Amino acid sequence: MGDARAAEELGFDFVSASDHPCGSEPSYEVWTMLTWVAAATSRIRVATRVLGVPYRPPAMVAKMAETLHRLSGGRLILGLGGGYSDEEFRAFGLGVPTPREKVDGMVEAIDIMRGLWSESDFTYEGSRYRTEGATIEPKPLSPIPIWLGTYGPRALEATGRLADGWIPSLGFAPPERAAAMRERILSSGRTVECVYNVPFRLDGPAEGEGVVAGSVWEVSDRLAEFVRMGFTSMNFMPVGPDPRAQAERLATEVLPTLRPQTA
């Protein structure tokens, strides 16, 4: 909780958490944790990075999202994904969707959520999910932005057609691939915010693929390259010991030179 308050005090725009309920490493259920974060802060937005659609019925997520968005003062960013970890589905007895079913389910989930946020007696019949005369009240006071973490051709097409934002990870979509993916999304003609998940480490080794590491100037230059590619927002994940100190240095030594480039 202290990390979220510190992020708010440092001027970060949003704080996010991933959705991996199964595993041997200690973790918290993402929705419960972000509710706790929202209650302990006042300005910073809270984002799911990203919520695995197959874990929860979309109609229930629509209700959960409206409640958190309202009680947080309109600060929720609803990140969604098809769910890439087949091992987690299998471990929890949820069944393992095919890649096509994951994309279809993600699209249907968006249709259902937006339908419930805007209509009464909402009926929807999809291949994965359905509703029958469903109504949720109250409706959202302000739009709930949906960001998608997507990579494959069908999922990217759906992102360009439906999403408010696209949030790929550097490790899964390195710049040489991400540029082409972004073009595919924007070919829809819609405005889609492009947000890059970027692990970073200042004055230390990368210790793995997909980490931006080096001096303040090296990290700043690398992040500026991403801005020039069209990523006007980034989700920063500190790597290595003392992540809070890394976040503080990023906020005070790197972002002041980067923010003007994203305006």
Side-chain angles (χ1 to χ4, degrees):
M1 193 55 54
D3 289 341
R5 289 198 188 101
E8 183 168 74
E9 292 169 2
L10 288 167
F12 287 100
D13 297 316
F14 65 91
V15 62
S16 69
S18 60
D19 185 28
H20 293 293
C22 179
S24 58
E25 292 293 325
S27 65
Y28 299 106
E29 193 280 321
V30 62
W31 206 268
T32 308
M33 181 172 64
L34 288 182
T35 301
W36 188 258
V37 166
T41 55
S42 60
R43 178 198 58 83
I44 199 165
R45 302 174 80 189
V46 293
T48 54
R49 187 194 76 247
V50 290
L51 206 70
V53 167
Y55 288 128
R56 305 165 185 86
M60 284 303 302
V61 174
K63 183 65 176 180
M64 294 158 62
E66 193 287 325
T67 300
L68 181 51
H69 194 59
R70 177 179 296 269
L71 297 183
S72 67
R75 289 188 283 146
L76 175 65
I77 299 168
L78 183 58
L80 299 174
Y84 82 91
S85 181
D86 291 351
E87 291 77 11
E88 289 187 5
F89 298 140
R90 193 173 293 111
F92 277 21
L94 298 175
V96 181
T98 66
R100 175 171 288 274
E101 287 172 336
K102 289 178 181 180
V103 175
D104 290 344
M106 184 180 66
V107 169
E108 292 178 12
I110 294 170
D111 289 342
I112 287 173
M113 290 175 198
R114 286 182 171 154
L116 289 172
W117 292 336
S118 61
E119 301 178 28
S120 296
D121 300 319
F122 180 70
T123 296
Y124 183 93
E125 188 71 42
S127 62
R128 303 286 295 168
Y129 304 109
R130 62 187 298 272
T131 63
E132 184 176 344
T135 299
I136 65 169
E137 292 293 346
K139 307 295 187 195
L141 289 172
S142 61
I144 301 174
I146 293 178
W147 292 358
L148 300 183
T150 52
Y151 302 94
R154 291 184 70 243
L156 292 172
E157 184 277 330
T159 302
R161 179 165 48 87
L162 296 172
D164 302 297
W166 176 52
I167 183 165
S169 294
L170 176 62
F172 293 123
E176 59 272 16
R177 290 185 57 212
M181 291 177 175
R182 180 176 177 274
E183 289 302 315
R184 187 183 189 101
I185 288 170
L186 297 183
S187 66
S188 66
R190 296 176 63 252
T191 298
V192 179
E193 184 174 2
C194 295
V195 187
Y196 220 176
N197 279 322
V198 180
F200 75 95
R201 185 171 184 179
L202 289 163
D203 295 331
E207 295 184 357
E209 296 290 331
V211 178
V212 174
S215 68
V216 168
W217 297 113
E218 289 170 327
V219 170
S220 297
D221 287 346
R222 187 65 168 143
L223 298 180
E225 290 179 16
F226 301 156
V227 173
R228 289 191 290 271
M229 287 173 55
F231 287 99
T232 53
S233 297
M234 296 182 206
N235 182 73
F236 296 110
M237 296 173 283
V239 173
D242 204 347
R244 185 176 295 191
Q246 287 280 313
E248 290 176 358
R249 291 192 62 198
L250 184 78
T252 58
E253 301 176 42
V254 176
L255 295 189
T257 62
L258 193 67
R259 280 190 183 276
Q261 301 179 54
T262 64

